[in-house]
Amino acid sequence: MRAALKVVVAAILAMPATAALAKSPDCASWPTNMALTHLKNAGLIDIPSVIEAQTKAVRLASEKIGKDLYQQVYDITFHTKDGKKIEVITKNQASSEECSMSGVDIYVVSKKIDGSAGQPSDGTTKK
């Protein structure tokens, strides 16, 4: 009886560690850096002009597609010193051990069109 209780207690104590491993990784830096490199190579942005503190990466989706493998989608916005704003959507695979499990697909958002008449087309919301 005591041996069975020890096994149950050990299994319960191991659960938080297992749950932590199952959590989707926060890997914004990999797609952000790759997007910046590809934007530079395409001639769309000059890296020294990017205001790093204003760069914003928002994870839109993370879907488990394998054992510790996730498909992730980020909305990343870069701001430059001359007032330019470039927004991209990225898609890549990541794990808890490695953010760069795949290359990064990068889609430049050339125009954002909102479906609500009460919202302006620049992506900001009215208050």
Side-chain angles (χ1 to χ4, degrees), residues 51-68:
I51 305 168
E52 191 175 336
Q54 290 183 4
T55 297
K56 184 177 178 184
V58 177
R59 185 171 49 190
L60 301 177
S62 184
E63 176 185 13
K64 189 169 186 174
I65 58 172
K67 184 179 179 183
D68 192 30

Side-chain angles (χ1 to χ4, degrees), residues 27 30-35 38 65 69-74 89-95 98-107:
C27 286
W30 170 247
T32 300
N33 291 332
M34 293 308 298
H38 286 285
I65 58 172
L69 186 62
Y70 298 85
Q71 183 83 20
Q72 296 191 329
V73 177
Y74 282 88
I89 302 294
T90 64
K91 180 184 78 155
N92 68 288
Q93 294 177 3
S95 74
E98 183 64 49
C99 287
S100 58
M101 295 300 288
S102 72
V104 179
D105 295 331
I106 300 148
Y107 307 92

Side-chain angles (χ1 to χ4, degrees), residues 2 25 33-34 48-49 81 88 112 120:
R2 283 186 175 208
N33 291 332
M34 293 308 298
S49 74
K81 293 174 185 170
V88 298
K112 198 178 225 182

